[in-house]
Amino acid sequence: MPERPTVVIVDDSAELRVVVRSRLEASGLFDVVGEAGDGGEAMLLAHKLSPTLMLLDTSMPIMDGLEALPLVLAVSPDTKVVVFTGFEEVGLAIRARELGAVDLIEKSVPIDKLPELLWQHVGGGPEARPPRPGGLRIARGIDQAAARDQAALDEHLERYREVFHQAAIGMATMTLNGSIVRANSELAAMVHREPADLVGLDYGVLTRRHGDQLDDALARITEGDEELATFEHPLVTDDGASTLRVSLAPIRDSAGKPLYVFAQVQDITPEVELRRSEEMFRLLVTAVRDYAIYMLDVDGRVASWNAGAQNIKGYAADEILGRHYRVFYPEAEREARHPEHNLQMALREGAYAEEGWRVRRDGSRFWASVVITAVYDDAGRHRGFAKVTRDQTQQRAHEEQRRRAIEQQAQLLAITAHELRTPTAVIEGSVSMLREGDDLALDELSRLLDAMSSSAQRLQRLVADLSSASNMHADALALRPERLSLQATLIAAAERVRAVHPTARIGLDVAQDVDLVADPARVGQALDNLLENALRHGRTPVMLHGEPTEDGVRVLVSDAGPGVEPRLVDRLFERFAHAGSAGSTGLGLHLVREIARSHGGEVSYLPPGDGRRTAFAVELPSLPRAPGV
C-alpha cells in the first residue's frame, strides 16, 4: 500500500488545528506529521519533516503565513503549500500564488470538503478523486461534530466580515504582526495605491520610519490584552504629506485569543495642523519671556498671565490674577485715570498702542511699549482685552546713547572747526606778512615764525587727539605689555615734554623705583597728555611724582594752577569735555582714563586745597588685569 501524503498544519489556534487534524486523519487520505502555531515553527518543521503538503494560516503573532511561505519553500522546495485563510480576497489569493502557494482555501469552506480539496494537489490534479470505497472514511456520528466545527469556523469568519463591511472609513485587516491581508477602497485611495497592491504589504512601510509605533500597538493587543490601540504617523505621497491616525482592534476567537487585527485609518491632517497651530500659539504665549502677553476681563482685571509677564513685571500668576491692571502704572497716571482711558480707546478703536513708564512689583520703573486689543467672541460680544507689553528700557537707553553720539559728533565737528580756525588764521596771516614785508625786523620775523610754529603744534595736537580717539574706538586699546621701570618711564616722559617746551619747568620725584608690566606706548601717551594738560591749563612748575603702592604704582602729575572749573569736574574724563575756547578737543583726559582702565587701573582728579597742588593721579597694577577685576 503506497504511503499516504504527509501534512503539517500551521495555525496559531490550537482549537482549529485539532479540528483540521481530526478531519484529515478521519479521511484516511493523509498522515498529519506535525503542527505549529507560528511561521517560524513552520519553517523548522518543513526543514525537519519535508512534508508533502503544508496547510499554512495567514495571521499568526510572530511570523505570519505570507512571510513564512517563501522560507518554507526555500528549506523544503517539494512541499506543496496551501494557504488557509479566513479572508475572501482576490488580491490575497494572487499574492499567495506569487509567493509559491499552490492554492488558497478559505476557512469558510465546509470542513468535510477540506480533505478532498487538499487531495487535488497531491493525488493527480483537480479531476483526481480520493480512493474508494465509500469516498471519505468519516466515522459514524461525525456529521454532528462536523456541523459544530463548521459553525465555529463560520462564526470566526462572520465576525470579521461584519466589522470590515460596517466601517465607513479607511480600513484594513492585518495579520497579528502587521501584514495587510485585505484593504478597502477608502484606505487605498488615502495612500494612493490600489487595494490589491496593499495585500501582503507590511503596514509599517506606510508609516515612514514610524514602524516602532505599529509594533508597539500590535504588542499591546496581542500581549497586553488591550481592545484598542491607537497611534499616528505621517504619510508622504506625490501630492504632499499628511497625518493618519490608526486604530487597531483585535478579532478574537471564542476563547478570546486574537486571530487578526482590524485597522481603522483616518486622515487627521487638518486636526493636526490646528493642533500644531494651537500648540505653537500656546508656547508663544506661555513660554516667551521678552513679551508680557496676558488677558484682561471687561473691567480691566488680569485674567491670564504668561512667563514673559512675570519676567517683565515681577508678579507671579497667583499674585496678580484678579487684580486691576492699574497697578502697572505710575501713581500720577493712576490718579489721572490713564489706565481706564487706554481701555476706552481700545474699545472704541479696536486697538490702542502707546509707550510710557510702567511700574514693576518691586517699585522700579521701566519704559514699556504697549498694545491693547479689544477681544470679541463669535457672537460679537465683548469678552475682554488682549494686552501685549514689551520692556523697551534698553532700547530707549540705546536710542538715547545714539542721540548723544550724534550730539557728540556735531560737537566734535564744531570743536574741530574752532580749533582749526585760529591756527590756520595765524599761519595764513603770518605767511601773508612774510610775503609782503621785505623789510621786516629780525625780532618781528622771529615772532611770526614762533606764531606759525605754535599754530602748527596746535594742529598736530588736534590731529594726535583725534587719531588716538579713533584708534581707541577701533581696537579697544589693544595692549602690548612689557616689563618697565617706573623711574625710567617717568624720566622719558619728562624728556619728551622738555623737547617740545624747552623753557618749561618740570620736576621729577621717584621715591622708590619699582618694576611693572604695562604697554610702554600707552602709558607714555597717558603721561604725555597729563603733562601737556598741566602746561596748557595750569601753571609751572609741573611735578612728576611716582611711588609704589600695595598692588602696583601711583603717578601724580601736579601743577601750581587753580584747578579745573567746578562745572567740569563731574564730566572731566568724558569725551569732548572742554573748558571753552581755550580748551582743545576734550579728548586728552578721556584717553588717559581709557588707557588706565585698559590696564585694570584708574585715573582721578585731586583739586587743590590745604597746601595741596592741583594734581591728576594714575593708579596702575603691577600686572595688567581685566577692568573691574
Side-chain angles (χ1 to χ4, degrees), residues 505-509 531 534 539 541-545 556-560 613:
R505 290 183 295 162
I506 301 174
L508 178 63
D509 175 30
L531 289 171
R539 296 176 185 168
V542 174
M543 291 297 299
L544 192 56
H545 172 79
L556 289 174
V557 178
S558 63
D559 66 81
R613 290 156 53 93

Side-chain angles (χ1 to χ4, degrees), residues 497-509:
V497 174
R498 290 191 182 105
V500 179
H501 304 279
T503 61
R505 290 183 295 162
I506 301 174
L508 178 63
D509 175 30

Side-chain angles (χ1 to χ4, degrees), residues 279-604:
E279 178 67 10
M280 290 299 294
F281 181 74
R282 186 189 68 80
L283 291 175
L284 169 68
V285 171
T286 59
V288 67
R289 298 182 62 83
D290 292 335
Y291 291 84
I293 305 174
Y294 55 98
M295 289 291 298
L296 305 176
D297 65 17
V298 293
D299 297 320
R301 291 185 294 269
V302 178
S304 69
W305 200 243
N306 79 324
Q310 180 170 339
N311 180 53
I312 293 173
K313 297 179 182 290
Y315 291 91
D318 58 357
E319 296 176 314
I320 195 63
L321 291 176
R323 297 178 63 181
H324 199 280
Y325 92 119
R326 288 167 51 87
V327 298
F328 307 136
Y329 287 77
E331 184 177 355
E333 295 192 10
R334 293 200 300 268
E335 292 177 355
R337 298 189 60 79
H338 188 64
E340 288 78 6
H341 167 266
N342 289 355
L343 295 184
Q344 292 171 5
M345 292 295 295
L347 200 56
R348 186 175 71 186
E349 303 294 335
Y352 177 74
E354 71 169 11
E355 290 189 359
W357 291 109
R358 296 294 183 268
V359 181
R360 295 187 178 92
R361 183 181 182 278
D362 61 6
S364 62
R365 299 201 310 170
F366 66 99
W367 187 259
S369 172
V370 177
V371 177
I372 304 175
T373 304
V375 177
Y376 300 87
D377 61 18
D378 293 339
R381 291 172 296 191
H382 180 220
R383 308 300 293 181
F385 302 89
K387 192 167 185 293
V388 180
T389 301
R390 188 177 188 188
D391 185 351
Q392 295 285 85
T393 307
Q394 289 187 350
Q395 289 83 345
R396 189 170 189 264
H398 292 160
E399 184 62 28
E400 182 63 21
Q401 291 174 358
R402 180 174 173 273
R403 184 189 62 79
R404 287 200 301 267
I406 294 174
E407 290 180 352
Q408 288 177 346
Q409 290 175 356
Q411 187 179 15
L412 175 61
L413 291 175
I415 292 172
T416 304
H418 177 271
E419 289 292 310
L420 288 171
R421 187 179 298 115
T422 299
T424 54
V426 171
I427 293 173
E428 182 181 8
S430 300
V431 170
S432 179
M433 292 181 65
L434 289 172
R435 284 177 175 173
E436 296 174 358
D438 295 334
D439 54 350
L440 291 174
L442 185 59
D443 59 342
E444 189 174 1
L445 179 61
S446 179
R447 284 197 303 273
L448 290 175
L449 293 175
D450 287 343
M452 293 174 65
S453 176
S454 176
S455 297
Q457 291 175 7
R458 186 171 179 180
L459 291 174
Q460 289 172 349
R461 285 196 302 272
L462 175 62
V463 171
D465 283 350
L466 293 174
S467 177
S468 297
S470 174
N471 291 337
M472 179 185 65
H473 178 74
D475 60 13
L477 286 179
L479 301 180
R480 297 176 179 84
E482 301 176 9
R483 182 166 294 279
L484 306 176
S485 161
L486 173 62
Q487 184 175 17
T489 300
L490 299 187
I491 291 174
E495 291 300 325
R496 287 194 298 272
V497 174
R498 290 191 182 105
V500 179
H501 304 279
T503 61
R505 290 183 295 162
I506 301 174
L508 178 63
D509 175 30
V510 179
Q512 178 186 346
D513 189 23
V514 293
D515 287 346
L516 70 154
V517 176
D519 187 320
R522 295 298 190 186
V523 173
Q525 182 182 13
L527 295 177
D528 290 349
N529 282 347
L530 289 177
L531 289 171
E532 183 67 27
N533 185 72
L535 290 174
R536 295 185 65 199
H537 302 292
R539 296 176 185 168
T540 58
V542 174
M543 291 297 299
L544 192 56
H545 172 79
E547 61 185 10
T549 61
E550 184 177 347
D551 61 350
V553 299
R554 185 170 187 257
V555 177
L556 289 174
V557 178
S558 63
D559 66 81
V564 177
E565 295 181 30
R567 67 182 179 86
L568 284 177
V569 171
D570 291 339
R571 56 188 188 90
L572 189 59
F573 297 100
E574 294 180 6
R575 284 189 298 177
F576 313 127
H578 61 94
S581 59
S584 185
T585 60
L587 290 172
L589 292 178
H590 174 71
L591 289 170
V592 174
R593 184 184 67 177
E594 296 305 310
I595 291 171
R597 289 182 175 179
S598 69
H599 285 79
E602 190 55 271
V603 60
S604 58

Side-chain angles (χ1 to χ4, degrees), residues 4-5 7 24-25 27-32 53 115-116 118-119 122:
R4 290 180 293 189
V7 179
L24 295 184
E25 290 180 342
S27 71
L29 301 177
F30 302 96
D31 283 335
V32 178
L53 186 143
E116 186 174 352
L118 294 180
W119 179 260
V122 295

